[in-house]
């Protein structure tokens, strides 16, 4: 196998014999495949989103709520045929879409499984935003809804908290590519069928950077062509104890400042209620559905 260059880490390792930064070998590993009701309402709908959580991650966020699968290695290895069966079982449960959480490092294997399963529901790519345009082009024609984060603009913040000083450089280009592929919102009632939703989690003490994220989106994407999902659920993890500045929740003042600016700029989308800042959004990674 050639050296892996699927994500901006560009490790170049042969994953058939070693793992790269993402901690993943050549075989797909996933930790849960189940209905999820905690995504944005236009994704979860009434029947839930068919969410598959893949193990490993190309980012290294100190506040990751899924650390046991992103860095802990929990999960079951699946062949492309087995993953296709997982997709089919989810679809048979009547979910509104198949929601691939952190799929980048398994791009070829997941695309193969999708070509076997031939799902009839929309495919959602749910990612931290740290993507290469070249890899996103492999997903073109398969992904119906892009659901990336845009976490930071500041290289200092992204370097300190996600081990990715070039995060904005990569994520900003990635979001423009996602928008090129899905340039408008396509609805069926209250459900989104195609389009782009950009998520932004407000971090404590980082209001200026959140405002810079909003400015970027304001400047580069037409407002009626995508949705903004502003998130207040930041919860410090034990790893955050080493990062005093973010070892607390976001205050009402901080969140309001960002939410007010988003409203002022006229974005469409969702703004989480600050009271929803609790950990119930993290499902148990108990290998359900695999
Ligand atoms: S997907 Fe993994 S192995 Fe490949 S370049 Fe990224 S971090 Fe490295």
């Amino acid at each position: 196998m050639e050296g892996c260059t699927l994500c901006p880490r560009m490790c170049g390792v042969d994953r058939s014999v070693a793992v790269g930064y993402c901690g993943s070998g050549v075989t797909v590993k996933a930790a849960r495949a189940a209905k999820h009701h905690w995504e944005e309402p236009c994704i979860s709908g009434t029947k839930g989103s068919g969410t598959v959580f893949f193990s490993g991650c190309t980012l290294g966020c100190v506040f990751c709520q899924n650390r046991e699968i992103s860095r802990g290695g929990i999960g079951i290895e699946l062949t492309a045929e087995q993953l296709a069966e997982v997709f089919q079982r989810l679809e048979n449960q009547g979910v509104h879409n198949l929601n691939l959480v952190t799929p980048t490092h398994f791009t070829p294997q997941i695309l193969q499984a999708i070509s076997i399963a031939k799902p009839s529901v929309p495919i959602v790519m749910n990612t931290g935003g740290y993507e290469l345009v070249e890899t996103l082009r492999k997903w073109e024609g398969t992904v119906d809804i892009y659901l990336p984060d845009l976490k930071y603009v500041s290289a200092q913040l992204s370097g300190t908290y996600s081990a990715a000083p070039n995060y904005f450089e990569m994520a900003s280009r990635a979001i423009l590519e996602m928008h090129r592929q899905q340039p408008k919102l396509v609805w069926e009632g209250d459900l989104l069928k195609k389009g782009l939703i950009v998520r932004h989690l407000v971090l404590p003490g980082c209001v200026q950077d959140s405002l810079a994220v909003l400015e970027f989106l304001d400047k580069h994407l037409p407002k009626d062509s995508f949705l903004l999902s502003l998130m207040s659920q930041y919860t410090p993890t034990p790893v955050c104890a080493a990062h005093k500045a973010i070892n607390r929740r976001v205050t009402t003042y901080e969140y309001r400042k960002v939410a007010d600016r988003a409203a002022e700029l006229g974005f469409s989308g969702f703004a989480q209620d600050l009271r929803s800042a609790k950990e119930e959004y993290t499902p148990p990674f108990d290998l359900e559905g695999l």
Side-chain angles (χ1 to χ4, degrees):
M1 190 192 174
E2 281 179 23
C4 181
T5 54
L6 282 172
C7 87
R9 300 276 173 200
M10 303 284 270
C11 301
V13 298
D14 175 352
R15 286 173 48 186
S16 62
V17 293
V19 297
Y21 183 89
C22 59
S24 304
V26 80
T27 308
V28 170
K29 212 176 189 190
R32 182 179 169 89
K35 277 187 187 184
H36 194 52
H37 294 277
W38 293 102
E39 305 291 19
E40 287 75 3
C42 63
I43 299 289
S44 291
T46 51
K47 298 183 198 163
S49 178
T51 308
V52 183
F53 289 87
F54 292 98
S55 310
C57 185
T58 62
L59 281 171
C61 305
V62 296
F63 49 85
C64 179
Q65 301 295 319
N66 299 348
R67 181 161 292 270
E68 40 185 335
I69 62 165
S70 65
R71 302 248 77 88
I74 288 179
I76 287 183
E77 291 197 336
L78 300 162
T79 63
E81 289 74 20
Q82 288 168 329
L83 183 58
E85 285 168 20
V86 168
F87 291 154
Q88 284 161 344
R89 284 199 297 272
L90 281 172
E91 203 178 337
N92 291 342
Q93 288 175 41
V95 296
H96 295 300
N97 43 60
L98 292 180
N99 185 345
L100 312 174
V101 184
T102 327
T104 309
H105 45 292
F106 295 125
T107 291
Q109 300 89 331
I110 298 172
L111 289 175
Q112 194 191 344
I114 289 172
S115 74
I116 298 169
K118 298 186 178 49
S120 59
V121 291
I123 304 284
V124 181
M125 185 184 191
N126 188 332
T127 147
Y130 193 51
E131 303 290 349
L132 285 179
V133 168
E134 294 75 9
T135 300
L136 290 173
R137 293 210 170 126
K138 297 180 199 289
W139 291 90
E140 187 166 6
T142 299
V143 172
D144 299 286
I145 300 169
Y146 280 105
L147 186 52
D149 295 328
L150 185 53
K151 293 175 188 288
Y152 321 89
V153 168
S154 158
Q156 192 255 325
L157 292 178
S158 64
T160 305
Y161 299 140
S162 292
N166 64 347
Y167 175 86
F168 179 70
E169 186 190 340
M170 296 294 134
S172 56
R173 283 187 208 159
I175 283 171
L176 297 183
E177 169 63 18
M178 293 172 187
H179 187 261
R180 184 194 68 74
Q181 292 183 26
Q182 293 298 350
K184 59 179 188 177
L185 299 165
V186 178
W187 296 90
E188 195 175 285
D190 294 335
L191 291 173
L192 189 65
K193 292 289 172 178
K194 286 183 185 293
L196 167 69
I197 305 176
V198 180
R199 285 177 167 169
H200 177 68
L201 176 68
V202 180
L203 300 179
C206 299
V207 166
Q208 288 312 316
D209 202 56
S210 289
L211 298 180
V213 164
L214 299 182
E215 299 308 322
F216 168 80
L217 296 172
D218 177 53
K219 192 166 163 200
H220 292 278
L221 299 180
K223 296 281 181 356
D224 58 355
S225 68
F226 78 106
L227 299 172
L228 172 70
S229 180
L230 204 56
M231 308 179 90
S232 63
Q233 73 197 59
Y234 176 81
T235 309
T237 64
V239 184
C240 295
H243 299 273
K244 262 194 169 168
I246 59 163
N247 196 25
R248 63 167 173 87
R249 292 190 189 258
V250 170
T251 65
T252 305
Y253 174 78
E254 289 171 324
Y255 185 65
R256 280 264 51 98
K257 204 153 179 179
V258 180
D260 287 351
R261 181 63 180 145
E264 204 174 276
L265 288 170
F267 290 109
S268 302
F270 311 93
Q272 238 176 15
D273 190 320
L274 192 62
R275 284 168 300 180
S276 62
K278 44 190 173 183
E279 288 156 69
E280 65 192 24
Y281 291 89
T282 308
F285 296 117
D286 52 6
L287 311 180
E288 182 182 339
L290 297 170

